[in-house]
């Protein structure tokens, strides 16, 4: 008996015939590196991300802990990735928190790998800075720190800077749905509150 | 300039007025117009209905009949698009009327006068197959006395689609009734377009509803000197 | 049922037409804005089209690369010739995991092979977690009607009533859409955190790296892809993309074309298994399920380029009026009219290629430039040649007309008959037309008679 794999590949080859035409791919769109990476890019990011009903804050790096404390207030159970920068407030480090423990967090503070100005997107790459995926998913409030120097202009810039080694989550605003009358409504299964703190 | 008229079987049989208007208009603009009597049908209806094989003889015939002309002008955007795509040997020199006027003759003001309230339906094939853009509107805007009103949902199909209007008559009618509602909302006396097939469809409902709104091919307005 | 008959039924549903009309009008305008702000939209479409055509032409190589890369990253790759094989693979994994429940991210491929029903028959409940899928699943009488928003035919008030009768019994949800979303959140939250296995579809699979991508909005996708121990992804073989770089094209084309946003809320990209993060067991099932039939048609194969954005549905004047259910397929609208008959065999849906006025609005918006009208015409030709008797009244009429047009003499004779309301030209069209529309008064003189009178026979 031939395997499903062999059968499918044989059918594909049969369907294509002996010498299928392989077209060239014209990449005349704006490739990575086409757009200038200046201060205007950071402004644009702040603008696009705020259009998703995320709250945007811009601070100097030194003011970061104060800002985070101001956003979160007192008495919350705040999760952070293990070994995360000092925020000057009590935090629960994720050293393999159970699902139940994650579910008990009120908020989570993480960093991000980079951000895309054109689309208002934050890119989380599983690891020390962005945390693992569940950490930024289960708690209802995500405070995400974005270094101004990590903001790139376009999607191609971001894809060029990323790779397949760790899981990636592109986040553009809080959880939302378009399923009711094709209109975007915020707040379904992912974090319903997203604060983006752009620093530096 | 010497041009051949590709009238289309549909206009020849049912809407001779559109063809006559093209002749009047082109002659007024100094063209010498010929009408090759050997022309019949370009085969579009056959191809679009799945009868490609039956159309191939018609394609050959079309190529033969128009082989010796430098330019061919047609009052049908839809048939022009068909021959341009399917009949390689001559397709490139067939022009829809408004394309011909603007791109080949270089005129926008064709010396027409038509003191009526008019709305324009840009047919799907003139918009999306020929990409005539705003050429028809540019021509209409220059007509003396015209009161040109914009049609809401103009880019939407009227529901004709050749045999679609018969095979899927209920769906076609649902599309048509929206188009007619938009036409009536303009309170125009005349609804015009670059294809009499769509106009027959729209006009059929306007007439059934006793709305009093007339349909006219754009050539008839551009030829008018009222 | 033929499309014509099914449409007759749905056209009578005024509420449905209003719901769909309202939603599609809104999204059409939004899409125009989302696209207008991208200066290189056309080059992106050109690239998207070429990447897809390139992929199809090199499909065996891409699939083998994908398999090797996923395997190297700790995943397990399965191949399924048809839906039954794919469903059996999923069922056997669920049994080994020992669960009688799996959570699902919206996946058209799983709908296509009726995975939920197949799992149910094995005693495994598949819980849909996408809001619109949930809406459809909660009402046993209901069916999906849109590829992106399967419950597009339901308005807010109807959804609210449904929820108050099912997952939010005894509550009053009020008129806000956010209350509906909240009800879904509460209903599913515990499932996300406890069910050990998820099933997803895939938007892309990158051959070069073995990375799989899922594009979504609500976060239910992230939940399913992250929280369970075991993840099974079903992917049609046409969803493979050659290179990592290709993501930059499709992550721009897809969101703006589908929900008309600059970017959808969440996109997940993962490669095999990541220790300490997400499912520790990952299976990828590569499904043929009729796709190689589509590939065998040189013209029709472009239907496999589809990235399921649904833009063509949203602009289609036919879809807008009849709704998705009239197409009686997982894939409605323009893409359904070309894909369904090819995937399942022309005989299964012979009327679908005619479910279009060929207005071309679909081709104009398609992010990968699938020339849907031309494929429709091509498939009409195939149906006429392969499926229909050569002697249907229509075939006879078409032949009659072709004959009538074949010489000038016959053509002029047919014109004379038409003037009298007889002959091949009239027979073909008259009855279906005049039932609802007036025919113009036949002219006293044809154009050519006038010409001859004025200019002679020349
Ligand atoms: S055919 Fe094109 S427009 Fe339609 S869903 Fe597929 S990709 Fe989108």
């Amino acid at each position: 008996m031939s395997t499903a794999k062999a059968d499918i590949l044989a059918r594909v080859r049969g369907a294509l015939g002996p010498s299928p035409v392989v077209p060239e791919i014209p990449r005349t769109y704006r490739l990575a590196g086409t757009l200038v990476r200046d201060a205007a890019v950071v402004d644009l990011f702040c603008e696009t991300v705020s259009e998703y009903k995320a709250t945007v804050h811009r601070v100097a790096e030194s003011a970061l802990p104060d800002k985070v404390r101001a956003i979160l207030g007192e008495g919350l159970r705040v999760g952070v990735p293990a070994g995360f920068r000092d925020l000057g407030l009590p935090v629960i480090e994720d050293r393999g928190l159970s699902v139940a423990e994650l579910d008990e967090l009120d908020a989570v503070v993480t960093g991000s790998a980079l951000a895309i100005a054109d689309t208002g997107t934050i890119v989380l790459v599983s690891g020390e800075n962005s945390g693992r995926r569940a950490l930024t998913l289960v708690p209802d409030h995500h405070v995400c720190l974005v270094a101004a120097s990590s903001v790139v202009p376009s999607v191609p810039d971001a894809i060029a800077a990323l790779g397949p080694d760790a899981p990636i989550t592109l986040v553009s605003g809080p959880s939302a749905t378009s399923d009711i009358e094709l209109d975007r409504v915020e707040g379904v299964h992912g974090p319903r509150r997203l604060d983006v703190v752009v620093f530096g | 300039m010497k041009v051949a008229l590709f009238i289309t079987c549909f206009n020849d049989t049912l809407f001779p007025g559109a063809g006559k208007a093209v002749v009047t208009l082109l002659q007024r603009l100094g063209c010498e117009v010929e009408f090759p009597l050997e022309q019949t049908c370009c085969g579009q209806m056959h191809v679009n209905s799945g009868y490609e094989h039956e159309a191939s003889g018609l394609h050959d015939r079309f190529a033969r009949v128009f082989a010796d002309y430098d330019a061919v002008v047609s009052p049908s955007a839809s048939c022009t698009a068909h021959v341009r795509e399917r009949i390689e040997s001559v397709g490139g020199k067939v022009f829809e009327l408004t394309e011909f006027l603007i791109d080949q003759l270089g005129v926008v003001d064709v010396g027409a006068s038509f003191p009526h309230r008019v709305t324009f339906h840009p047919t799907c094939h003139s918009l999306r197959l020929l990409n005539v853009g705003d050429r028809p509107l540019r021509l209409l805007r220059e007509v003396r006395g015209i009161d040109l009103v914009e049609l809401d949902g103009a880019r939407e199909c009227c529901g004709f689609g050749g045999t679609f209007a018969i095979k899927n008559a209920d769906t076609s009618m649902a599309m048509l009734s929206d188009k007619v509602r938009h036409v009536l909302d303009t309170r125009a006396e005349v609804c015009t377009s670059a294809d009499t097939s769509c106009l027959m469809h729209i006009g059929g409902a306007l007439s059934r509803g006793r709305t009093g709104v007339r349909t006219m091919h754009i050539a008839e307005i551009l030829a008018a000197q009222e | 049922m033929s499309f014509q008959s099914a449409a007759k039924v749905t056209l009578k549903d005024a509420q449905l037409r209003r719901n769909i009309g309202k939603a599609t009008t809104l999204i059409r305008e939004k899409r125009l804005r989302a696209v207008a702000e991208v200066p290189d939209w056309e080059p992106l479409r050109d690239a998207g089209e070429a990447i897809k055509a390139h992929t199809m032409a090199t499909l065996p190589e891409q699939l083998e690369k994908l398999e090797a890369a996923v395997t190297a990253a700790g995943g397990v790759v399965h191949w399924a010739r048809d839906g039954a094989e794919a469903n059996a693979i999923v069922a056997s994994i669920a049994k080994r995991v020992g669960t009688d429940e799996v959570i699902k991210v919206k996946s058209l491929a799983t709908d296509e092979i009726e995975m939920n029903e197949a799992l149910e028959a094995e005693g495994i409940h598949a819980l849909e977690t996408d809001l619109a899928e949930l809406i459809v699943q909660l009402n046993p009488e209901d069916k999906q009607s849109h590829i992106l928003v399967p419950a597009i035919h339901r308005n807010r008030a109807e959804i609210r009533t449904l929820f108050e009768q099912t997952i939010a019994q005894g509550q009053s949800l009020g008129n806000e859409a956010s209350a509906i979303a909240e009800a879904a959140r509460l209903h599913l939250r515990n499932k996300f955190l406890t069910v050990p296995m998820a099933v997803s579809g895939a938007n892309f699979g990158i051959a070069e790296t073995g990375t799989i991508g899922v594009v979504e909005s609500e976060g239910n996708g992230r939940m399913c892809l992250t929280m369970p121990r075991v993840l099974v992804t079903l992917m049609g073989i046409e969803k493979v993309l050659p290179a990592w770089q290709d993501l930059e094209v499709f992550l721009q084309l897809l969101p703006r074309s589908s929900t008309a946003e600059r970017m959808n809320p969440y996109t997940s990209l993962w490669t095999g298994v990541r220790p300490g993060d997400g499912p520790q067991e990952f299976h990828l099932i590569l499904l043929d399920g009729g796709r190689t039939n589509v590939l065998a048609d040189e013209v029709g194969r472009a239907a496999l380029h589809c990235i399921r954005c649904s833009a063509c549905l949203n602009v289609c004047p036919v879809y807008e009026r009849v709704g998705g259910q009239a197409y009686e397929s997982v894939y409605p609208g323009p893409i359904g009219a070309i894909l369904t008959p090819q995937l399942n065999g022309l005989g299964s849906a012979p009327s679908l290629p005619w479910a279009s006025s060929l207005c071309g609005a679909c081709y104009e918006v398609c992010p990968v430039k699938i020339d849907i009208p031309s494929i429709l015409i091509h498939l009409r030709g195939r149906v006429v040649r392969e499926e229909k008797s050569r002697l249907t009244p229509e075939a006879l009429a078409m032949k009659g007309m072709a004959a009538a047009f074949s010489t000038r003499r016959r053509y002029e004779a047919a014109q004379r008959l038409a003037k009298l309301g007889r002959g091949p030209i009239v027979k073909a069209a008259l009855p279906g037309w005049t039932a609802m529309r007036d025919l113009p008064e036949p002219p006293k003189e044809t154009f050519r008679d006038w010409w001859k009178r004025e200019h002679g026979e020349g």
Side-chain angles (χ1 to χ4, degrees), chain C residues 147 305-313 335 362 365-368 370 372:
Chain C
I147 58 177
H305 299 180
C306 173
I307 58 172
R308 311 281 189 263
C309 72
S310 77
C312 60
L313 278 67
I335 180 60
C362 46
V365 297
C366 177
V368 288
I370 302 174
I372 295 176

Side-chain angles (χ1 to χ4, degrees), chain A residues 7-17, chain C residues 52 55-57 59-60 63 66 78-87 106-115 147 200-204 233-240 284-308 329-331 335 338-346 379 382:
Chain A
D7 276 0
I8 293 171
L9 289 176
R11 294 192 53 139
V12 171
R13 290 198 178 93
L16 290 173
Chain C
K52 285 293 187 178
T55 308
M56 294 311 140
L59 196 54
L63 290 171
L66 177 68
H78 310 255
W79 301 68
R81 278 166 280 223
D82 54 26
E85 282 188 357
N87 288 332
K106 188 171 115 52
S107 148
L108 290 159
T110 65
D111 294 340
E112 202 184 301
I113 64 173
E114 300 184 340
M115 183 185 287
I147 58 177
S200 86
N203 290 96
F204 335 100
T233 298
L234 178 72
M235 178 177 129
I237 51 173
E238 82 284 15
K239 290 274 172 277
V240 64
L284 176 67
I285 304 176
L286 298 172
L287 172 72
D288 179 348
R291 284 157 177 78
T292 47
N293 295 338
V294 188
L295 198 64
D297 183 325
E298 258 182 75
V299 177
R301 74 167 61 128
L304 294 177
H305 299 180
C306 173
I307 58 172
R308 311 281 189 263
S329 157
V330 173
Y331 302 105
I335 180 60
I338 59 170
L339 190 57
T340 305
Q342 295 198 84
L343 271 182
N344 306 339
L346 290 181
L379 293 177
R382 273 185 58 191

